[in-house]
Amino acid sequence: MANYRIRPATPDDCADILRLIKELAKYEEMEDQVILTEKDLLEDGFGEHPFYHCLVAEVAKELQTSEGATVVGFAMYYFTYDPWIGKLLYLEDFFVMQEFRGYGMGSEILKRLSQVAVRSRCNSMHFLVAEWNKPSIEFYTKRGASDLSTEEGWRLFKIDKNYLVKMASEE
């Protein structure tokens, strides 16, 4: 399936982003913990000083879901600073709907995030993965992520700059 695009989210995407956040929470069996609203997403991500940035994966109209959605994946991230290494991109959430996995969308999103990190002169990308989420752990480790911690059932990963550069330059 090559009939999709990865693009920066716009204010009009907030309803879809919230829908995907809830789908991710359901997948993680934490559905009841989502208290965020569309209004929060709009104000926090698209104001004068956004607290997050977001990429979305969008399919063509003819591939829309049975509910009519064309936004089928997202990656929410922000920039932070590590006093030992400097700038880093923190990937807060990353999700592609189950029926759209296996078509390269996740890899393309990660490539785009790597490009953003490299352009922003980040030295690393950090994120958490649930201990039980073996498919995600494999997805990231195959792309150069290293496991930094196993405390509290979560793993903290980072992708060093050389791997970011490598992914960002892949054809």
Side-chain angles (χ1 to χ4, degrees), residues 116-166:
V116 168
V118 169
R119 268 195 316 269
S120 302
R121 296 182 308 120
C122 292
N123 290 307
S124 188
M125 180 189 308
H126 289 201
F127 45 90
L128 295 172
V129 179
E131 180 72 29
W132 56 263
N133 194 343
K134 302 300 183 202
S136 291
I137 292 168
E138 184 178 315
F139 176 83
Y140 293 120
T141 55
K142 279 179 23 183
R143 288 157 178 85
S146 50
D147 185 354
L148 298 180
S149 173
T150 56
E151 292 178 19
E152 300 179 345
W154 291 92
R155 291 186 177 191
L156 178 62
F157 285 83
K158 70 173 186 171
I159 299 177
D160 289 323
K161 189 171 185 174
N162 59 327
Y163 288 105
L164 292 172
V165 170
K166 181 180 175 190

Side-chain angles (χ1 to χ4, degrees), residues 39-70:
K39 184 177 184 279
D40 294 329
L41 286 170
L42 183 62
E43 291 174 358
D44 296 344
F46 299 96
E48 191 174 324
H49 300 287
F51 282 89
Y52 73 88
H53 304 279
C54 192
L55 296 175
V56 294
E58 183 176 44
V59 296
K61 204 72 158 157
E62 63 268 13
L63 299 172
Q64 69 186 5
T65 67
S66 56
E67 294 81 26
T70 56

Side-chain angles (χ1 to χ4, degrees), residues 63-147:
L63 299 172
Q64 69 186 5
T65 67
S66 56
E67 294 81 26
T70 56
V71 175
V72 299
F74 81 105
M76 184 177 285
Y77 64 96
Y78 54 88
F79 297 97
T80 187
Y81 202 83
D82 181 305
W84 290 6
I85 63 170
K87 292 189 233 177
L88 62 91
L89 185 150
Y90 192 88
L91 176 56
E92 184 59 46
D93 264 333
F94 181 16
F95 180 73
V96 174
M97 293 175 66
Q98 184 68 41
E99 59 265 37
F100 293 94
R101 294 181 190 167
Y103 297 108
M105 282 184 209
S107 295
E108 188 62 26
I109 290 171
L110 200 57
K111 175 182 174 180
R112 291 284 297 277
L113 288 169
S114 298
Q115 291 168 341
V116 168
V118 169
R119 268 195 316 269
S120 302
R121 296 182 308 120
C122 292
N123 290 307
S124 188
M125 180 189 308
H126 289 201
F127 45 90
L128 295 172
V129 179
E131 180 72 29
W132 56 263
N133 194 343
K134 302 300 183 202
S136 291
I137 292 168
E138 184 178 315
F139 176 83
Y140 293 120
T141 55
K142 279 179 23 183
R143 288 157 178 85
S146 50
D147 185 354

